[in-house]
Each structure stands twice: as C-alpha cells, then as structure tokens.
Amino acid sequence: MGKSKRGRKSKTLDPSTDDDVFAVTNIEIISPATSPTTANAAESHSRGRGRPKKRLKAERSPSFVPQANNGGEMMLSMLPAESVAGPQRLVPAMDAVVKVFCVHTEPNFSLPWQRKRQYSSSSSGFVIGGRRVLTNAHSVEHYTQVKLKKRGSDTKYLATVLAIGTECDIAMLTVNDDEFWEGVSPVEFGQLPALQDAVTVVGYPIGGDTISVTSGVVSRIEILSYVHGSTELLGLQIDAAINSGNSGGPAFNDKGKCVGIAFQSLKHEDAENIGYVIPTPVITHFIQDYEKNGAYTGFPFLGIEWQKMENPDLRKAMGMKHDQKGVRIRRIDPTALESKVLKPSDIILSFDGVDIANDGTVPFRHGERIGFSYLISQKYTGDGAAIKVLRSSEVLNFDIKLTTHRKLIPSHVKGRPPSYYIIAGLVFSTVSVPYLRSEYGKEYEYEAPVKLLDKLLHSMPQTPDEQLVVVSQVLVADINIGYEDIVNTQVLAFNGKPVKNLKSLANMVENCNDEFLKFDLDYDQIVVLATKTAKAATVDILTTHCIPSAMSDDLKQ
C-alpha cells in the first residue's frame, strides 16, 4: 500500500526520523515529526476490538507520501541565471518564496490534561498581497511558534497565524516587522491551467537549505482527496517532484504567475513523480472567505449521501424518464438545513441549473467532466443554491441555504485541546479521528473497536451538539476495582438518561444526588459507584496523578 503524506520535513535530519513526516488519507494520519511520545501510540495497538488487518497492498487505494529526492531538482544558488528553467520574469517571483519554521505542540489524547513534547518542522510559503503569506495548514498545525525566513536572508521573523483552513489545507500568516516586507513583491495568481501546461514548483524541500526548483506539466485535473482535511476538492496532478518540505510552496506557470500550492505527493510501487497542487480556485475561495468574514468559515457541503443511477432498471423503478439523469439521495444529515426540504430517494437532477449525470458528474471545461461536488465547493457558507429533484415522478424545485456540516466523529480538533472529565478514576473523553490515531496508531481503521469504526464511517449526528463519549481509560484506585480493563468504550446512558455529549454527562454527574452513579456502556456493560465515595476518591486520584482539574476548561464554561 502507498502512504498519503504531506511534504513537511523535520528540522533535524535524524536518521531514525528523516522520513517520518505528516501523512493523511481520508481516515489515516501519520504524525509529522517524531517526538518522544509518538512511540506510545504503538503500545496501544492491542486495545479494543478491530477488523483484521488487510495485507494485500494491491487491494487498497494508493496514498500520498513525499518521495525520495530523484535528483531532478535544480538549485538556483548553484546555476547562472540564464540556465534556470523557465522565463526570466519568473525569477523575481521566487524572491517571494519563504521558508517556514514551526514549533508544534500536539495534544496528548491519552493524557488529555497534558500536551506532548514540542518538535520542529520546516516547509515553504510565499508572499501575497496585503502583507500576507500563504502556506499549508498542516505546516502550522498545533503551532506554538512560527517563523519565516526570506530567500538569501539570515534572519528569521516571528509570524502571526491569521487563519487556518483545515479542509483546503491552506494557512494565512503575516509578519509585523516592516523589515520583512522590504524588497519583496507579492506573487500574482494565474488562471486554472490546462492539461499539459508547464508548471514549476518552488520551495525548500529536504536535501538542502537553499531554494529549489522542480519542473513538470499538468497531467490531470479532477476532484481530489485532500488527505489533511479529509475532504474532496478540486486539485491538480503534476509530474514535478514534490518532496518533504515542498509543502506550501507555489507552483508557477510559464508566465511566472502562481497557479497553485504544493501540498502532497503520491508514493506507490506502480507510480513515479506524481505530485498534487491546490489550484487557484480553491486558494481564491480561501482568501475571499477570510476577507469577507474576517475569519475562515470553511467550504459548504450538501448534508447528504447519494447513489449513482447508472443501472437502467433502477432508473425505471424510480420513475425516471429516458431523458432524465441524476443521482439518488440515500441519506440526509438530520442536522442539515437540507433535511427540511429534501427526502431520501429524491433524485437530484440539477444543481444551480447544471444538469447532473447518472454517475454524479457535471461538464467541466472542454471535453472534461468533474464530480458535481465541485459546484458546491464554489459556494460560500450561507450562500443559496437552486436544486431540482424528481420525487414520485414529479419534478420539484427548491432553494436551499448551504452551510458546513459537523460529523459525529470529527476529522480534526482544529487546535483545541481535548475535552475530558474524571470521576473516581474513570476518564471520559470524546472520540475524534486524531483521538483514534493517537490510541491505535496509523492503522487505526483496522485496530480500533468495530463499533467505533462503524460510527466513524456511517453514523450521522442527530443533534448539532451530539458527541461520541467514551471511557478512555481507568486510573486504577481502590474504588474502581473490577473496572480496570475498560478502554475506549462508549457511554450510552447515566442513571437511565441518554448521554448526548460530554458536558451533559459532567453536569449530570456533578449534580447527582442519587445513592449510586450508574453508567451504561456499550457491549451491555455497566459501571456502578457509590456517589459520595466516588466524589471523595476523585480528589485523591487527581493528586496522585498530578492532574490539575477533574474536567477540561471548556466544560467549566
């Protein structure tokens, strides 16, 4: 199996950690740089019930990793100007490419009242108008400090993070020091390139400290899986080498204009030199979203799951005429605004006047087709859209308002520390993809308990504030004898009342005047504790384990 990785390189080239860079697939992430606590994830692989591992590499989709330096890079500092590939007017734009140094401090999901040991990484970025710098979101994820260094400079300038777009893997930075902006011209953005158009990726990849250039052509334009954001947005596939550290660097066309941001590459036994670039429509959406709202609000999505209508018998059974095409709605997110007008088994015929084919694609430029989610991604949060559906052989038109949607098990914590609550040594927490990765490692989709994986892949929240609450571990004490082996098991109810989220559970326990605290867990398990004894024992357990509080700050508010 190939691995999905984003090209951010470790600041220290330790032989044991040189290739341990950040990697993500839709449901898999590998930590960006090694810290002393990363090894702990492997120790928890044996926990819980999981699906058997699949070892047949050919049966799994290839994913993205930075590839080894193929020797095709060209160091500008080593070559005369006339030998540099590309037109000469490209050279001034390269001065806008900066090196990004970031110190990260990740959350510790196993001990949520702490954070892991900090580590450093380096990547690339570039200057745009308005005294701003763009780089990748994964380059500054869980940042503690960010510094920027210009080409040919020996000074690192402290940067401020203005916005982080998790879904599109873009971050916006600025520098308050006026000296940083002297002699730097912002890059200009170009149009979405066509197939076979030349592209030049500029950045600071692994293998040296000076700026590096790799060249190639656009080989594919389609909806791609953004491995960091667990989303699908428009992307460019190029054959230029994108290595660890290239992340956040610009991709220029032959006119010297920026047409994208390098962010991931493909490593697979049957593929070579396949890199991926965030195109200008996605970049423009991010920038305009920030300028319009003063913050990043995200890309809207339809809160539905749909099915292709390629089978002729299925189309006939659904009442579709010969000239009608579309996709069938399988399920609708109960918390989505669309659930008020759309229904399961509706056939979506068109979106904003653009007809949708039976395979879910729409026309895209000359002779190309693309997934209809591209039309939705062009919208902004709060925008309206016109949807035509077929329901019981009747064509209906609806105007809906597009919003972002929250998953029951979120893909990211977006920089927030984990929530937790402790009573009598039972540590309650909420499940997220980073939590599963921390507990079960990069193969969490095979190691995690089956019921948690089922909820990750198929469950939808029934209310906007619903969370999946689990007993993450039991801090052993006399009061919880017999419960020590409970690990990552969902909490269904407390004293007969359903548990909607962690804050509601904490409030119910804190305000409980019953004789016993009774927790109903998954797999028909129950935990019963004497109320007064449990609350008294909690104080001693917190002192023993040097835990500052029985609950996280967000639950106190």
Side-chain angles (χ1 to χ4, degrees):
M1 165 185 174
K3 296 290 182 185
S4 286
K5 292 196 178 180
R6 288 129 338 138
R8 174 176 58 182
K9 69 176 180 179
S10 174
K11 190 175 182 180
T12 56
L13 297 179
D14 183 76
S16 64
T17 64
D18 192 30
D19 291 328
D20 192 12
V21 290
F22 209 120
V24 190
T25 65
N26 281 335
I27 53 173
E28 180 179 36
I29 300 181
I30 301 175
S31 297
T34 300
S35 65
T37 54
T38 2
N40 295 339
E43 298 176 2
S44 59
H45 280 197
S46 61
R47 299 180 182 178
R49 307 159 183 81
R51 294 181 290 176
K53 277 190 179 179
K54 294 182 181 178
R55 295 296 185 185
L56 297 178
K57 298 182 179 180
E59 294 180 0
R60 300 181 61 189
S61 299
S63 47
F64 308 93
V65 285
Q67 302 179 33
N69 194 335
N70 64 357
E73 299 177 357
M74 185 182 300
M75 295 297 184
L76 297 185
S77 59
M78 300 172 59
L79 295 174
E82 59 271 14
S83 66
V84 178
Q88 292 301 314
R89 52 183 163 177
L90 181 61
V91 176
M94 292 187 185
D95 290 333
V97 182
V98 299
K99 192 168 185 177
V100 181
F101 299 88
C102 184
V103 178
H104 312 259
T105 310
E106 293 183 349
N108 188 341
F109 291 94
S110 298
L111 304 173
W113 50 89
Q114 299 179 357
R115 282 186 173 265
K116 294 182 180 180
R117 184 173 180 174
Q118 66 183 24
Y119 63 91
S120 301
S121 72
S122 69
S123 54
S124 308
F126 60 97
V127 176
I128 63 172
R131 292 166 63 100
R132 296 171 296 184
V133 174
L134 292 185
T135 186
N136 280 146
H138 71 260
S139 298
V140 294
E141 188 178 35
H142 303 303
Y143 69 92
T144 301
Q145 184 185 75
V146 182
K147 292 182 179 180
L148 304 180
K149 187 173 77 170
K150 297 190 294 184
R151 178 188 178 197
S153 172
D154 60 352
T155 305
K156 297 177 183 177
Y157 298 87
L158 281 174
T160 302
V161 178
L162 298 177
I164 295 180
T166 304
E167 293 87 354
C168 58
D169 202 2
I170 306 176
M172 182 185 293
L173 319 174
T174 190
V175 175
N176 294 326
D177 194 334
D178 294 336
E179 182 182 345
F180 175 83
W181 304 102
E182 293 178 0
V184 178
S185 299
V187 302
E188 296 181 7
F189 288 103
Q191 300 295 320
L192 184 69
L195 292 177
Q196 295 186 324
D197 280 0
V199 288
T200 303
V201 177
V202 183
Y204 293 88
I206 192 170
D209 293 325
T210 55
I211 201 167
S212 172
V213 177
T214 54
S215 299
V217 298
V218 176
S219 53
R220 181 176 293 163
I221 303 174
E222 63 179 356
I223 298 294
L224 293 177
S225 173
Y226 280 46
V227 293
H228 175 69
S230 297
T231 52
E232 292 187 347
L233 297 170
L234 185 67
L236 303 180
Q237 178 182 311
I238 63 175
D239 63 358
I242 296 179
N243 299 299
S244 175
N246 263 127
S247 279
F252 294 106
N253 61 16
D254 55 5
K255 297 180 181 179
K257 293 188 177 182
C258 178
V259 294
I261 303 175
F263 75 120
Q264 62 191 31
S265 60
L266 178 74
K267 183 178 181 181
H268 188 259
E269 57 189 8
D270 296 327
E272 294 181 1
N273 276 6
I274 296 181
Y276 293 94
V277 170
I278 304 170
T280 44
V282 178
I283 302 172
T284 303
H285 189 288
F286 170 81
I287 295 174
Q288 291 181 354
D289 183 13
Y290 175 79
E291 293 175 345
K292 178 181 178 181
N293 302 292
Y296 172 75
T297 62
F299 286 73
F301 295 96
L302 275 181
I304 64 169
E305 294 180 357
W306 54 271
Q307 175 185 359
K308 295 180 180 180
M309 296 294 292
E310 295 176 308
N311 186 278
D313 293 334
L314 176 61
R315 292 198 300 270
K316 186 176 181 180
M318 297 300 298
M320 296 179 66
K321 298 179 181 179
H322 179 72
D323 58 344
Q324 289 178 326
K325 296 181 180 180
V327 293
R328 173 183 172 268
I329 297 177
R330 292 170 47 214
R331 295 197 301 165
I332 304 177
D333 186 342
T335 65
L337 296 177
E338 298 89 276
S339 63
K340 297 179 181 179
V341 293
L342 300 179
K343 295 182 179 180
S345 289
D346 281 352
I347 307 298
I348 302 179
L349 303 176
S350 69
F351 182 90
D352 261 358
V354 180
D355 292 336
I356 300 173
N358 291 323
D359 62 352
T361 62
V362 293
F364 179 71
R365 304 200 302 190
H366 178 68
E368 300 177 61
R369 298 191 67 85
I370 199 168
F372 82 95
S373 61
Y374 168 73
L375 302 176
I376 306 169
S377 68
Q378 298 301 294
K379 298 281 190 174
Y380 293 86
T381 302
D383 285 356
I387 289 187
K388 181 190 293 185
V389 302
L390 179 70
R391 179 183 299 168
S392 301
S393 300
E394 181 183 0
V395 176
L396 303 174
N397 292 281
F398 298 108
D399 292 322
I400 63 171
K401 186 178 181 180
L402 296 173
T403 60
T404 56
H405 294 286
R406 190 187 65 84
K407 298 178 181 178
L408 178 62
I409 298 181
S411 301
H412 288 271
V413 295
K414 298 187 177 180
R416 294 186 295 268
S419 299
Y420 71 90
Y421 175 68
I422 301 174
I423 183 73
L426 276 69
V427 182
F428 297 92
S429 189
T430 58
V431 179
S432 62
V433 171
Y435 176 89
L436 294 175
R437 190 180 304 114
S438 173
E439 288 290 292
Y440 299 100
K442 62 183 180 180
E443 298 288 339
Y444 68 88
E445 73 269 39
Y446 304 109
E447 301 289 349
V450 171
K451 288 197 174 184
L452 292 185
L453 292 174
D454 179 67
K455 290 179 172 61
L456 170 67
L457 298 174
H458 304 295
S459 291
M460 293 180 173
Q462 299 303 306
T463 59
D465 59 349
E466 183 180 357
Q467 293 177 317
L468 189 63
V469 181
V470 294
V471 179
S472 63
Q473 62 175 313
V474 178
L475 304 174
V476 176
D478 292 344
I479 191 174
N480 53 45
I481 289 176
Y483 303 138
E484 302 93 336
D485 295 333
I486 299 177
V487 176
N488 293 331
T489 305
Q490 184 181 0
V491 184
L492 303 177
F494 170 74
N495 283 1
K497 298 179 181 179
V499 173
K500 185 169 61 173
N501 52 51
L502 185 57
K503 188 168 187 177
S504 69
L505 174 63
N507 289 336
M508 288 191 291
V509 175
E510 290 293 310
N511 298 320
C512 180
N513 295 318
D514 296 346
E515 182 180 0
F516 294 104
L517 305 176
K518 180 183 177 183
F519 301 92
D520 294 315
L521 309 182
D522 213 347
Y523 306 106
D524 297 319
Q525 299 181 81
I526 62 171
V527 172
V528 179
L529 301 166
T531 303
K532 291 183 179 180
T533 309
K535 292 183 177 180
T538 301
V539 178
D540 295 334
I541 293 172
L542 295 180
T543 303
T544 301
H545 291 272
C546 301
I547 302 173
S549 176
M551 65 177 69
S552 53
D553 291 339
D554 60 318
L555 300 183
K556 299 177 183 178
Q557 298 174 358

